[in-house]
Amino acid sequence: MRRRSIAVGLILAAAAGMGAWGGTRVPPLQTKGGAPAEDDALKGRGYADGEMNSALQGPGEKFKIEEAGPWAGDALKRAPTTASTTAATRETTEGDFVVKDFRFRDGETMGELRLHYATLGKPARDAAGRVTNAVMLLHGTGGSGAQFLQPQFAGELFGAGQLLDTAKYYIILPDGIGHGKSSKPSDGLRAKFPQYDYDDMVAAHHALAEHLGVEHLRLILGTSMGCMHSFVWGETYPEFMDALMPLACQPAQIAGRNRVWRKMVMDAIRNDPEWKGGEYAAEPKQGLRTALDLLLIAGSAPLQMQKNYPTRDAADKYLDDYFTARMPGLDANDLLYAVNASRNYDPLPGLEKIRARVMYVNSADDFINPPELGIAEREIRRVKGAKFVVIPISDATRGHGTHTWAAVWKQYLAEVLDRSAR
């Protein structure tokens, strides 16, 4: 392994509004400036360490749907810079863990599955030598653990005295299967890469935790796809964590409009003649262009887009810039696999298995998880002691991407950490 210093900027914000445990909507934000369950997928595996040799930011970042578009970056450019902003840095350790003979849920095996990760802070141990301060953060579709080093997340949570102060917590940032610098189709197998799903991704996360010597997690926080992984974690390994904080998803099978737009993304790639069954010599650009169109709409926030691009010319330029930034380096198989991984997700039948304290947060301007469906409020009642919050639309929300803007919801993180303390 090696260490590098990652600059972590700070965004100045203040949050207001708390709700009672159970489903609730909150006032708009005013801003100012144990033993796991049996796991068949892990039986018979051997483990080996590897070393990372490339930059933390991976090419998979180019198609992520959770940032709610480039206006997030625009806001960061306008964020105030202070002495604490430039002084705040954290030591980040990166590594690769290679799982030997990983068996996927469908029975397929992979001789060596590489799981990339980064960590911040150091593990603290009790008298028995067990790690007591580990936190795992789970990224969204097309993202990587690097997304949590962005100022709007890290700058609100990782600093001295903040909720996930790295002097207090051992923070694990894994890249899921098919994402970041973990094994993925574009490494060489292309369409012969195993058809992984969310259960496989969570099994790999669990194997990584054990490899790092972590038998119990203080918290799992997941965004978008990571939100869904949080529910899978809670059902598959119900005694493995104290608290779960899923952000931006539904605790039910992906259906309705959410399934329709995902299928449109996959169909756009598969129906492009240049895709050639995944064995293309050049990227199927028309299919990728259509896929990016859909990803843009799914992750967008109407209020923010109208505010940031108030004229026809501004909107047109934004769209041109979006494709210029996102298309290079985008791999069709990686995108197709990442979207298709959600096909078997359905935690609904097993919600009662969850034992961790749950703080579940969605935002009202999320195209992918609109509050009018009522699914979250209805079904989360089946999880004992869980709380569900819908954050109303405001100048601080970013549509689906609100999940990475910690100033909007960090009061609820404080609440679940307090409620789940032992």
Side-chain angles (χ1 to χ4, degrees):
M1 294 182 191
R2 66 180 180 182
R3 294 184 180 272
R4 66 173 60 197
S5 293
I6 303 294
V8 179
L10 299 178
I11 297 176
L12 302 179
M18 299 289 283
W21 285 81
T24 185
R25 286 178 170 81
V26 299
L29 177 76
Q30 302 298 317
T31 61
K32 297 181 181 180
E38 182 67 9
D39 181 14
D40 290 336
L42 296 178
K43 292 178 178 176
R45 291 188 186 163
Y47 306 114
D49 281 318
E51 295 296 328
M52 59 75 61
N53 294 298
S54 55
L56 185 61
Q57 186 80 8
E61 294 290 286
K62 292 183 180 294
F63 61 86
K64 62 184 172 185
I65 62 176
E66 61 275 62
E67 276 190 352
W71 55 88
D74 295 343
L76 289 176
K77 292 174 185 176
R78 296 191 295 268
T81 299
T82 66
S84 60
T85 303
T86 55
T89 60
R90 290 294 176 266
E91 284 267 309
T92 302
T93 300
E94 296 182 52
D96 286 330
F97 167 46
V98 178
V99 185
K100 299 290 187 179
D101 300 320
F102 185 95
R103 189 166 73 231
F104 292 81
R105 191 170 82 152
D106 64 3
E108 194 165 358
T109 61
M110 192 168 182
E112 291 189 349
L113 177 70
R114 183 183 66 258
L115 301 174
H116 184 76
Y117 64 93
T119 61
L120 296 91
K122 296 180 180 180
R125 301 180 186 274
D126 61 17
R130 292 184 292 261
V131 176
T132 59
N133 66 335
V135 170
M136 184 174 283
L137 306 181
L138 305 176
H139 63 78
T141 303
S144 74
Q147 75 180 57
F148 299 114
L149 298 176
Q150 296 178 94
Q152 69 266 35
F153 191 95
E156 294 288 339
L157 299 178
F158 294 166
Q162 294 179 329
L163 290 171
L164 297 179
D165 184 346
T166 58
K168 179 179 179 182
Y169 288 103
Y170 178 51
I171 299 172
I172 305 169
L173 309 175
D175 292 355
I177 299 173
H179 291 70
K181 290 182 284 185
S182 291
S183 294
K184 53 186 176 291
S186 61
D187 291 341
L189 287 177
R190 310 181 85 175
K192 296 181 179 65
F193 194 88
Q195 293 285 340
Y196 65 88
D197 65 8
Y198 286 178
D199 290 309
D200 297 317
M201 298 178 82
V202 168
H205 290 148
H206 180 259
L208 173 62
E210 290 191 324
H211 162 71
L212 294 173
V214 175
E215 298 177 355
H216 190 85
L217 290 161
R218 179 68 182 85
L219 167 74
I220 292 177
L221 181 151
T223 63
S224 191
M225 176 180 70
C227 175
M228 293 182 274
H229 287 178
S230 299
F231 283 109
V232 177
W233 257 103
E235 294 184 8
T236 309
Y237 309 104
E239 306 297 333
F240 204 86
M241 74 295 294
D242 294 331
L244 289 168
M245 190 164 182
L247 292 136
C249 71
Q250 300 288 347
Q253 183 181 115
I254 292 176
R257 186 177 69 184
N258 196 3
R259 173 60 186 178
V260 168
W261 77 261
R262 292 170 188 264
K263 189 173 187 303
M264 292 168 72
V265 167
M266 294 186 288
D267 286 349
I269 294 171
R270 290 169 173 151
N271 292 335
D272 188 323
E274 296 304 311
W275 182 60
K276 299 178 181 178
E279 299 300 326
Y280 43 85
E283 293 291 338
K285 291 186 177 180
Q286 187 55 54
L288 287 176
R289 170 73 187 231
T290 302
L292 285 174
D293 282 339
L294 292 161
L295 291 168
L296 171 58
I297 295 301
S300 65
L303 180 62
Q304 292 296 328
M305 292 194 77
Q306 187 65 36
K307 181 172 67 175
N308 292 340
Y309 313 109
T311 67
R312 179 199 62 198
D313 290 346
D316 287 354
K317 183 180 186 304
Y318 156 71
L319 186 60
D320 290 341
D321 291 346
Y322 169 81
F323 286 114
T324 298
R326 298 277 174 147
M327 189 68 81
L330 182 59
D331 184 82
N333 283 326
D334 287 351
L335 175 55
L336 179 60
Y337 271 73
V339 176
N340 194 38
S342 66
R343 65 193 180 279
N344 298 323
Y345 171 73
D346 187 8
L348 201 58
L351 288 175
E352 287 85 359
K353 296 178 182 178
I354 297 174
R355 295 291 176 263
R357 181 69 74 174
V358 177
M359 175 64 77
Y360 170 27
V361 179
N362 282 349
S363 57
D365 52 356
D366 187 345
F367 175 96
I368 300 174
N369 305 290
E372 60 265 29
L373 296 179
I375 297 171
E377 290 166 305
R378 180 179 69 246
E379 301 301 340
I380 200 62
R381 296 188 182 103
R382 296 167 50 196
V383 180
K384 184 178 179 181
K387 178 176 181 176
F388 172 64
V389 174
V390 175
I391 298 173
I393 300 170
S394 74
D395 284 342
T397 57
R398 296 294 188 275
H400 186 63
T402 301
H403 58 58
T404 310
W405 290 77
V408 182
W409 46 258
K410 65 182 179 181
Q411 69 267 39
Y412 302 111
L413 174 58
E415 188 175 349
V416 75
L417 287 172
D418 180 64
R419 295 261 184 167
S420 61
R422 295 190 174 191

